[in-house]
Amino acid sequence: MKINLDSPVIVFLTTVADFMILNILFILCCAPVITIGPAVSALYTITMREARHEGGYIFKPFFKAFKNNFKQAFLLSILYLIIGAVFVFGVKFWLEKPEFSTVNQVILVITGVFAVIFIFSLLYVFALIARFDNSIFKTVKNAVILAVFNLRETFLLTLIHVIVIVLMIFTKGIWIFMMVGGFSVCAYINSLLFIRVFRQYEKIEGGNHDD
């Protein structure tokens, strides 16, 4: 009996296996915690490739992306952690002011707006590292621009993350799915949105990664 490797069933099973392997690699690379940023960037490198129907191997490209993007992704992780802590402290400080004047309200609103933009840019920044060769400053700037000028995709990305986080908090069963293949599946869904956003900039951006 000859097995047709191009049959829909075999292709589907191969894809499922690839996503499971990718998920395991991602979890292992996240284990030290401080490497989460580089791991996310490497994950998006593979899932964006899959979303563009380019196919290919998993192991070598993943670790190559993890190594090549490690420094920038790690530094951006630290940068966003520091900025996030500043925003949390700022909001907490102005909320706890004894005299909550109009000026305090304005400052709190402004801080809140910048905090939201900061969160939105975080949705894009590691995918940008995976796709483009840019400086840290330009990557952050591009993440902010993309988040603000692609509100539909930004809203969908936010919704996906919120749903996953809520399910992980309140539904124990979702952890089994996430550990088996959930992270790679979610990254793939995000990548479908990323490639739609990035496509309009790739023709004018001179620093694409060769995935």
Side-chain angles (χ1 to χ4, degrees), residues 147-158:
V148 172
F149 288 96
N150 296 274
L151 289 178
R152 181 178 61 180
E153 285 77 11
T154 299
F155 171 77
L156 291 173
L157 287 167
T158 303

Side-chain angles (χ1 to χ4, degrees), residues 130-133 201-211:
R131 188 57 183 158
F132 300 102
D133 288 318
Y201 300 98
E202 287 173 347
K203 293 181 180 179
I204 60 175
E205 179 66 57
N208 294 6
H209 282 305
D210 293 323
D211 301 333

